Amino acid sequence: MSAVRPARREHPAEPAPTRIPFPVVDEVSRQCVRPGEAISVHMEIRLPGQPDPTRLRTAFRAALRTHARALVREAPAPWYARRYVWELTDAPDVEPVRFPPPGPDALARARAAALAEAPPLALAPPIRIEVIRSSPTAAGCVLLCTIHHTALDGPAFLRVLATAAELYGGAGNDPPAAPPTTDRAAAGAPTDGPGLDAGSPSARSARVAHAPSPDPNRRTGNGVLLGELPLHARPSRADHTVNDRLLVATCLTIAHWNRLHDAPLRPIRITMPVDDRPRGPDMPIGNGTRLVDVCFGPRAYAPEHDGRHAAPPSPDHIADLLRRTARRTRELRAARRPPLGRGAALLTAPVLPVGVRAAFTRALGRAVGPWTSTTLLSNLGRIPYPLDFGDAGRASAVWVSAPTRMPRGLTLTTTGTADRLHVSLRWSRALLDDAAARQLYGLLDTYLATVAAAPNPAPPEGGS
């Protein structure tokens, strides 16, 4: 790959850039950067046609100026500075849109490079968009986007992408209505405290059982598996959401996988992002989700067990687990809390230099590793934008994957299009090899169908 040349400034006599201190989420992400683990959001958008290079670059530059918070770079600072600071720029330092040579292995090569290294924070914007074609005569293409998660999350970049599509296509990209606000009253009465039969809050989290490659040279970086699964219909009076189904299916998948590998029974904690931002043109850009944990104790996912031995739950037990999960997630969505909890706000207080705080945060992360959640499930739901690129067509599929760091080492991200569920399984190669990841994906497919088939009686009168 040729070296990237800095783009020529459009305004040579521009004033000093605006500066914004890193919010809590950005700073924690910045402090946790480690070699070999790209903290990036990986996104692939399938288009039926080919966009014009000049028009696409122009549209993305205009979209970045529209959402100025995306056009940032990290300001240089000495180790003793009290804050990391973003600089907002008027123009990109590097061209964000690239058109690599087409070829049958172009997508695989671009995907491997994207997972290996995130865009640099020192150059604006920390975003790469590559238009990938399988041959010079291919009808369609893939927009492969890599976003440094320290600067932006997936929903924020999708908003930028929707604006670019609107500017490129010129029609059919009207902003959607804002999502319904969370109703605190809908949460109902308190349930199982910290989780579902979770036991002691101090119990260590279950870890996904290791199955790495036998080749030590293939145990670095991330892998990703993208697929489509049926989006099973829900009964008209269902008291749960697709997200609740995904949570239960993910829990049962990991429990089954760990049972195959004789791993001890421990609480399975699944981190779930909650995003209350509107999706219109005024959507706040950056990292705007808050993270909550849904905890499944061994008696929730393996009601009859003896030591390491456990049988899968019955359909009736799955139905009960689904109802309780739905009630728990409503509570978590309704409760207001800082994005990463109150402890993160203390860690990022500008009392000590950022270099000292970063070292302390990394040491604390290693110390609390056994209590880190088992996995992260990010269900973005139906993409609320048509992503219509005019002569290049409307997006027919959108895959998004969140970064994964050890000891968690596994993330699952889903989006919905029509009756299909687009699934991105991303893993650390220190945890799993490609064959193990494919086996996990197969288990997820099976358990999604199992959960969808569980009985769903109407909730009792006065119930949640």
Short mmCIF file of all heavy atoms in Angstrom, two decimals, residues 92-121:
data_model
loop_
_atom_site.label_atom_id
_atom_site.label_comp_id
_atom_site.label_asym_id
_atom_site.label_seq_id
_atom_site.Cartn_x
_atom_site.Cartn_y
_atom_site.Cartn_z
N PRO A 92 -9.71 17.96 5.89
CA PRO A 92 -8.96 16.75 6.25
C PRO A 92 -7.45 16.95 6.10
O PRO A 92 -6.98 17.66 5.20
CB PRO A 92 -9.46 15.70 5.26
CG PRO A 92 -10.78 16.22 4.76
CD PRO A 92 -10.64 17.71 4.78
N ASP A 93 -6.69 16.31 7.00
CA ASP A 93 -5.24 16.25 6.85
C ASP A 93 -4.85 15.21 5.80
O ASP A 93 -3.80 15.34 5.16
CB ASP A 93 -4.57 15.88 8.18
CG ASP A 93 -4.79 16.94 9.25
OD1 ASP A 93 -4.78 18.14 8.90
OD2 ASP A 93 -4.97 16.57 10.42
N VAL A 94 -5.65 14.17 5.65
CA VAL A 94 -5.44 13.13 4.65
C VAL A 94 -6.76 12.88 3.94
O VAL A 94 -7.84 13.13 4.50
CB VAL A 94 -4.93 11.82 5.29
CG1 VAL A 94 -3.55 12.00 5.90
CG2 VAL A 94 -5.90 11.29 6.33
N GLU A 95 -6.68 12.39 2.72
CA GLU A 95 -7.89 12.05 1.97
C GLU A 95 -8.53 10.82 2.60
O GLU A 95 -7.92 9.74 2.63
CB GLU A 95 -7.54 11.78 0.51
CG GLU A 95 -8.72 11.30 -0.33
CD GLU A 95 -9.90 12.27 -0.26
OE1 GLU A 95 -9.73 13.45 -0.61
OE2 GLU A 95 -10.99 11.81 0.20
N PRO A 96 -9.76 10.93 3.11
CA PRO A 96 -10.36 9.78 3.80
C PRO A 96 -10.89 8.70 2.86
O PRO A 96 -11.05 7.55 3.29
CB PRO A 96 -11.51 10.40 4.60
CG PRO A 96 -11.86 11.66 3.86
CD PRO A 96 -10.59 12.14 3.24
N VAL A 97 -11.17 9.03 1.60
CA VAL A 97 -11.78 8.08 0.67
C VAL A 97 -10.72 7.57 -0.30
O VAL A 97 -10.04 8.36 -0.96
CB VAL A 97 -12.94 8.71 -0.10
CG1 VAL A 97 -13.59 7.69 -1.04
CG2 VAL A 97 -13.99 9.27 0.85
N ARG A 98 -10.59 6.25 -0.38
CA ARG A 98 -9.59 5.64 -1.25
C ARG A 98 -10.25 4.64 -2.19
O ARG A 98 -11.27 4.04 -1.85
CB ARG A 98 -8.52 4.91 -0.41
CG ARG A 98 -7.90 5.76 0.68
CD ARG A 98 -6.94 4.94 1.52
NE ARG A 98 -6.48 5.67 2.69
CZ ARG A 98 -5.70 5.16 3.63
NH1 ARG A 98 -5.30 3.90 3.54
NH2 ARG A 98 -5.32 5.87 4.67
N PHE A 99 -9.62 4.43 -3.33
CA PHE A 99 -10.08 3.47 -4.32
C PHE A 99 -8.93 2.53 -4.65
O PHE A 99 -8.21 2.73 -5.63
CB PHE A 99 -10.58 4.18 -5.58
CG PHE A 99 -11.90 4.87 -5.42
CD1 PHE A 99 -11.99 6.10 -4.76
CD2 PHE A 99 -13.07 4.30 -5.91
CE1 PHE A 99 -13.21 6.74 -4.62
CE2 PHE A 99 -14.29 4.93 -5.76
CZ PHE A 99 -14.37 6.15 -5.11
N PRO A 100 -8.70 1.51 -3.82
CA PRO A 100 -7.60 0.58 -4.09
C PRO A 100 -7.85 -0.22 -5.36
O PRO A 100 -8.99 -0.34 -5.83
CB PRO A 100 -7.59 -0.32 -2.86
CG PRO A 100 -8.95 -0.21 -2.28
CD PRO A 100 -9.44 1.16 -2.61
N PRO A 101 -6.81 -0.80 -5.96
CA PRO A 101 -6.99 -1.58 -7.19
C PRO A 101 -7.95 -2.75 -6.97
O PRO A 101 -7.89 -3.42 -5.93
CB PRO A 101 -5.58 -2.09 -7.49
CG PRO A 101 -4.66 -1.16 -6.77
CD PRO A 101 -5.40 -0.72 -5.55
N PRO A 102 -8.86 -2.99 -7.92
CA PRO A 102 -9.79 -4.11 -7.77
C PRO A 102 -9.08 -5.45 -7.94
O PRO A 102 -8.00 -5.53 -8.53
CB PRO A 102 -10.81 -3.88 -8.90
CG PRO A 102 -10.08 -3.07 -9.92
CD PRO A 102 -9.10 -2.23 -9.15
N GLY A 103 -9.68 -6.49 -7.41
CA GLY A 103 -9.12 -7.83 -7.53
C GLY A 103 -9.94 -8.82 -6.73
O GLY A 103 -10.69 -8.43 -5.82
N PRO A 104 -9.83 -10.11 -7.04
CA PRO A 104 -10.64 -11.11 -6.32
C PRO A 104 -10.33 -11.19 -4.83
O PRO A 104 -11.20 -11.60 -4.05
CB PRO A 104 -10.28 -12.42 -7.04
CG PRO A 104 -8.99 -12.14 -7.74
CD PRO A 104 -9.00 -10.70 -8.08
N ASP A 105 -9.12 -10.79 -4.43
CA ASP A 105 -8.77 -10.83 -3.01
C ASP A 105 -8.69 -9.44 -2.41
O ASP A 105 -8.17 -9.27 -1.30
CB ASP A 105 -7.44 -11.56 -2.81
CG ASP A 105 -6.29 -10.86 -3.53
OD1 ASP A 105 -6.56 -10.02 -4.42
OD2 ASP A 105 -5.12 -11.16 -3.22
N ALA A 106 -9.23 -8.44 -3.11
CA ALA A 106 -9.12 -7.05 -2.64
C ALA A 106 -9.84 -6.86 -1.32
O ALA A 106 -9.34 -6.18 -0.41
CB ALA A 106 -9.67 -6.10 -3.70
N LEU A 107 -11.04 -7.46 -1.18
CA LEU A 107 -11.80 -7.28 0.06
C LEU A 107 -11.10 -7.96 1.22
O LEU A 107 -11.01 -7.39 2.32
CB LEU A 107 -13.22 -7.83 -0.11
CG LEU A 107 -14.14 -7.70 1.10
CD1 LEU A 107 -14.28 -6.25 1.53
CD2 LEU A 107 -15.52 -8.30 0.80
N ALA A 108 -10.59 -9.16 1.02
CA ALA A 108 -9.92 -9.88 2.10
C ALA A 108 -8.67 -9.11 2.56
O ALA A 108 -8.41 -9.01 3.77
CB ALA A 108 -9.54 -11.29 1.64
N ARG A 109 -7.91 -8.58 1.61
CA ARG A 109 -6.71 -7.83 1.98
C ARG A 109 -7.07 -6.54 2.71
O ARG A 109 -6.44 -6.19 3.71
CB ARG A 109 -5.88 -7.53 0.73
CG ARG A 109 -5.16 -8.75 0.16
CD ARG A 109 -4.19 -8.38 -0.95
NE ARG A 109 -4.91 -8.02 -2.18
CZ ARG A 109 -5.02 -6.80 -2.66
NH1 ARG A 109 -4.49 -5.77 -2.00
NH2 ARG A 109 -5.67 -6.56 -3.79
N ALA A 110 -8.07 -5.83 2.22
CA ALA A 110 -8.48 -4.58 2.87
C ALA A 110 -9.04 -4.84 4.26
O ALA A 110 -8.79 -4.08 5.20
CB ALA A 110 -9.51 -3.86 2.00
N ARG A 111 -9.80 -5.94 4.40
CA ARG A 111 -10.37 -6.28 5.70
C ARG A 111 -9.27 -6.60 6.71
O ARG A 111 -9.31 -6.16 7.87
CB ARG A 111 -11.32 -7.46 5.54
CG ARG A 111 -12.09 -7.83 6.79
CD ARG A 111 -12.98 -9.03 6.50
NE ARG A 111 -14.09 -8.68 5.62
CZ ARG A 111 -14.80 -9.57 4.94
NH1 ARG A 111 -14.50 -10.85 5.01
NH2 ARG A 111 -15.82 -9.17 4.19
N ALA A 112 -8.27 -7.39 6.28
CA ALA A 112 -7.17 -7.74 7.18
C ALA A 112 -6.40 -6.50 7.62
O ALA A 112 -6.04 -6.35 8.79
CB ALA A 112 -6.23 -8.73 6.49
N ALA A 113 -6.17 -5.57 6.68
CA ALA A 113 -5.45 -4.34 7.03
C ALA A 113 -6.27 -3.48 7.97
O ALA A 113 -5.74 -2.86 8.90
CB ALA A 113 -5.11 -3.57 5.75
N ALA A 114 -7.58 -3.43 7.75
CA ALA A 114 -8.45 -2.60 8.61
C ALA A 114 -8.48 -3.13 10.03
O ALA A 114 -8.50 -2.36 10.99
CB ALA A 114 -9.86 -2.56 8.03
N LEU A 115 -8.49 -4.47 10.18
CA LEU A 115 -8.53 -5.05 11.51
C LEU A 115 -7.19 -4.98 12.22
O LEU A 115 -7.12 -5.11 13.44
CB LEU A 115 -8.99 -6.51 11.43
CG LEU A 115 -10.43 -6.73 10.97
CD1 LEU A 115 -10.69 -8.20 10.72
CD2 LEU A 115 -11.42 -6.17 11.99
N ALA A 116 -6.11 -4.80 11.45
CA ALA A 116 -4.78 -4.78 12.05
C ALA A 116 -4.40 -3.42 12.60
O ALA A 116 -3.65 -3.33 13.58
CB ALA A 116 -3.74 -5.22 11.01
N GLU A 117 -4.92 -2.36 12.01
CA GLU A 117 -4.47 -1.02 12.43
C GLU A 117 -5.59 -0.01 12.26
O GLU A 117 -6.22 0.07 11.20
CB GLU A 117 -3.25 -0.60 11.59
CG GLU A 117 -2.64 0.71 12.05
CD GLU A 117 -1.39 1.06 11.25
OE1 GLU A 117 -1.02 0.28 10.36
OE2 GLU A 117 -0.79 2.11 11.53
N ALA A 118 -5.84 0.75 13.30
CA ALA A 118 -6.83 1.81 13.25
C ALA A 118 -6.23 3.06 12.61
O ALA A 118 -5.01 3.25 12.63
CB ALA A 118 -7.34 2.14 14.66
N PRO A 119 -7.06 3.95 12.05
CA PRO A 119 -6.53 5.21 11.53
C PRO A 119 -5.84 6.00 12.63
O PRO A 119 -6.26 5.96 13.79
CB PRO A 119 -7.78 5.94 11.02
CG PRO A 119 -8.81 4.88 10.83
CD PRO A 119 -8.51 3.83 11.86
N PRO A 120 -4.77 6.73 12.32
CA PRO A 120 -4.06 7.47 13.37
C PRO A 120 -4.90 8.62 13.91
O PRO A 120 -5.63 9.29 13.17
CB PRO A 120 -2.82 8.00 12.63
CG PRO A 120 -3.20 8.02 11.19
CD PRO A 120 -4.16 6.89 11.00
N LEU A 121 -4.79 8.83 15.22
CA LEU A 121 -5.52 9.93 15.85
C LEU A 121 -4.89 11.28 15.57
O LEU A 121 -5.54 12.32 15.72
CB LEU A 121 -5.59 9.71 17.36
CG LEU A 121 -6.46 8.55 17.85
CD1 LEU A 121 -6.33 8.39 19.36
CD2 LEU A 121 -7.91 8.75 17.45
#
